[in-house]
Amino acid sequence: MAIISRPLFVYLQRPDSGDWVTVGRYKMDTAGEGHFMYAPSYVDAGLTWAIDPVNLPFLPGADVIAPRYQGLHDVLRDACPDAWGQALLRREHNLPADAPPLQYLLKSSNLDRWGALAVGAGAKPPEAQVNAPGLPQLNEVVEELTALAERRPPVRPKIRARLVQTASVGGARPKATVRDDKGQFWLVKPEIGTDAANIPLLEHVCQHWGAASGLNFAATVFHPAAGGRNAVRILRFDRSDRRRYMCVSAASLLQAEYPGLLQTDRWSYPRLAEELRLTGAPVEDRIELFGRMVFNAVCGNDDDHVRNHAIVYRSEERRWRLAPAFDVVPNPVETPGRLHMQLATGRFDISRDTVLADAHRFGFDHRAEATRYLDTLLERIAAAFDGAAAPLDHEWKQMLYERLIHNLAVLRTQSD
Ligand SMILES: Nc1ncnc2c1ncn2[C@@H]1O[C@H](COP(=O)(O)OP(=O)(O)OP(=O)(O)O)[C@@H](O)[C@H]1O
Ligand SMILES: [Mg+2]
């Protein structure tokens, strides 16, 4: 098949030294099929990191065709924006509503791209610097994000230009990255007009609640009335100082196009647990995932879709690990009876039976061990509630408390 488009080079910030290298080459052919190949220079240099352990294992010389995302490989799709960034890029570049994912990869900037990949036209990797506003500018960033979301003219054109230029991170909500004085990067997500509640505060409370229950949740800070809006700031696990860390979404690990075709059979916690095992993550990560599934059930986070879980490469351990939990937000309108991902094969319903049905796939040796873990975790989640919910007003505290009591009863009761 003739290859028509000019090649797009894919660069990787090396997990060990932090140097940028050309890791591979992407091309789209006349039939619209996307091809990826690890670069001969990468192979010759003796480098062997796979950028996606499931879909692009390190196979020198192999020409791998992308089966999803209209010809874009899963991990390159992970490096593209979702609804929010795509909307900004469409406005900026006059892209049609049905622009294929490849367009968003080409139009989004490397500056704020998720993970450790970058793309470009040259065979040599660029000096992809990180360029984010500082924490002292948080109020201005929130004000400008809000103006952007509401399609108002710029308040500060310089910040506006930078926000549009760096709209590479995923997700549907308006967001930006800021850098603190220790060189850490934080996602900033303000409230928006259509929110049914103070979503930034609920997100902050839930992230704290998960961490206080003994789970690995990304750190957050709540900013009331930053730039006139409530906002939550979430520590980024894919960056630190000048270093970026390789990441892969659960959508990619599960080979589940998201958003897109409704491949619900692939949206599954036990399947994701098995992918974690296959990528070499330790059993603690599978048990942590089990714990997050239970936590989502208890707090009513039914937006736990496959782009809300990820793995991150830890170079000091030389292996992929489950990334900290992020975007854990309780449903503000109703107490859900189901999660977005299956808790056991073919089952989305929240019940003790479902939670325990596939426990062996999460690495528990036997059901009694999973039962013990579940009951202890439920105790910890209950005990952590008061402290975590303290910033909420009475009405929302009561709502979450009643949900907690309801779901504790559901998850503690064995059906026959
Ligand atoms: N703490 C974090 N560190 C690194 N990357 C993150 C972090 N939190 C989120 N991300 C990345 O940014 C994307 C968007 O973030 P998030 O899911 O919080 O936004 P959202 O707009 O609320 O998403 P959704 O569309 O699910 O509502 C995630 O899918 C993930 O790729
Ligand atoms: Mg999300």
Side-chain angles (χ1 to χ4, degrees):
M1 182 66 63
I3 301 226
I4 50 159
S5 78
R6 280 191 297 146
L8 183 68
F9 292 93
V10 181
Y11 318 114
L12 166 71
Q13 192 178 28
R14 282 177 62 152
D16 54 354
S17 63
D19 294 337
W20 283 92
V21 290
T22 298
V23 63
R25 187 214 61 196
Y26 171 90
K27 281 183 184 177
M28 183 167 274
D29 69 24
T30 47
E33 285 194 322
H35 299 250
F36 177 86
M37 193 184 269
Y38 281 97
S41 57
Y42 186 74
V43 178
D44 292 347
L47 306 181
T48 58
W49 296 287
I51 57 174
D52 174 341
V54 171
N55 302 288
L56 292 173
F58 180 65
L59 294 172
D63 176 2
V64 184
I65 293 177
R68 286 169 285 281
Y69 300 113
Q70 297 172 61
L72 194 62
H73 296 79
D74 303 73
V75 73
L76 297 177
R77 172 62 185 81
D78 286 348
C80 293
D82 295 316
W84 166 252
Q86 289 182 8
L88 293 190
L89 292 175
R90 273 199 303 275
R91 274 191 237 168
E92 185 70 7
H93 301 280
N94 280 322
L95 294 178
D98 60 352
L102 176 59
Q103 282 301 316
Y104 294 111
L105 180 70
L106 296 172
K107 294 286 189 288
S108 55
S109 125
N110 288 324
L111 290 174
D112 203 28
R113 218 181 266 298
W114 193 57
L117 297 180
V119 297
K124 269 187 68 168
E127 265 307 302
Q129 351 74 314
V130 175
N131 172 20
L135 193 50
Q137 278 181 289
L138 182 101
N139 287 359
E140 294 166 10
V141 166
V142 169
E143 200 179 352
E144 200 59 52
L145 271 177
T146 307
L148 250 178
E150 293 170 357
R151 291 176 159 272
R152 286 189 273 113
V155 184
R156 292 181 182 78
K158 267 195 171 159
I159 295 186
R160 167 72 59 104
R162 175 132 76 161
L163 291 180
V164 173
Q165 193 202 358
T166 56
S168 327
V169 184
R173 298 181 67 87
K175 60 179 64 61
T177 298
V178 296
R179 186 182 203 273
D180 69 17
D181 57 6
K182 296 187 191 71
Q184 302 280 20
F185 293 88
W186 300 77
L187 277 182
V188 177
K189 293 167 52 177
E191 65 183 334
I192 49 177
T194 49
D195 283 347
N198 184 346
I199 297 291
L201 182 57
L202 284 175
E203 180 166 345
H204 170 69
V205 162
C206 256
Q207 292 283 136
H208 268 241
W209 188 8
S213 306
L215 297 169
N216 179 16
F217 275 47
T220 58
V221 177
F222 177 65
H223 293 272
R229 297 289 167 126
N230 293 305
V232 61
R233 165 158 70 92
I234 309 111
L235 184 62
R236 283 185 70 162
F237 53 76
D238 65 327
R239 271 175 179 36
S240 173
D241 222 346
R242 301 182 67 79
R243 301 296 290 265
R244 305 180 185 198
Y245 308 118
M246 285 200 284
C247 291
V248 179
S249 72
S252 297
L253 295 176
L254 294 166
Q255 303 184 320
E257 191 155 350
Y258 189 92
L261 306 169
L262 298 182
Q263 294 166 304
T264 55
D265 59 321
R266 292 182 177 270
W267 301 351
S268 157
Y269 283 101
R271 260 181 112 134
L272 181 54
E274 273 153 12
E275 292 304 332
L276 288 175
R277 180 172 62 81
L278 293 172
T279 57
V283 67
E284 300 99 90
D285 288 9
R286 280 188 279 158
I287 292 177
E288 165 78 23
L289 183 67
F290 179 88
R292 290 185 197 173
M293 172 177 86
V294 171
F295 185 85
N296 285 336
V298 173
C299 79
N301 171 30
D302 60 346
D303 193 29
D304 55 330
H305 57 73
V306 289
R307 288 205 175 276
N308 277 339
H309 305 275
I311 56 171
V312 57
Y313 189 79
R314 299 271 175 233
S315 66
E316 67 285 6
E317 297 181 39
R318 298 180 181 204
R319 60 182 171 179
W320 294 93
R321 299 292 309 260
L322 181 63
F326 56 90
D327 204 13
V328 177
V329 187
N331 184 321
V333 178
E334 58 183 10
T335 295
R338 295 159 62 87
L339 293 182
H340 210 93
M341 304 217 313
Q342 296 178 8
L343 297 88
T345 309
R347 295 173 66 177
F348 295 87
D349 61 299
I350 297 172
S351 75
R352 183 173 178 89
D353 198 38
T354 311
V355 164
L356 291 170
D358 279 356
H360 58 286
R361 296 168 74 188
F362 293 90
F364 293 106
D365 283 338
H366 40 74
R367 192 170 163 119
E369 190 189 341
T371 306
R372 246 193 330 270
Y373 179 86
L374 170 62
D375 289 329
T376 311
L377 177 61
L378 291 175
E379 289 296 324
R380 292 203 312 256
I381 294 174
F385 176 76
D386 279 344
L392 292 172
D393 67 18
H394 176 73
E395 190 191 335
W396 283 99
K397 203 179 289 176
Q398 193 61 24
M399 186 285 272
L400 270 191
Y401 180 71
E402 281 166 20
R403 181 178 293 180
L404 167 69
I405 298 302
H406 169 81
N407 283 328
L408 285 177
V410 167
L411 292 171
R412 283 173 173 156
T413 311
Q414 185 67 54
S415 61
D416 303 307

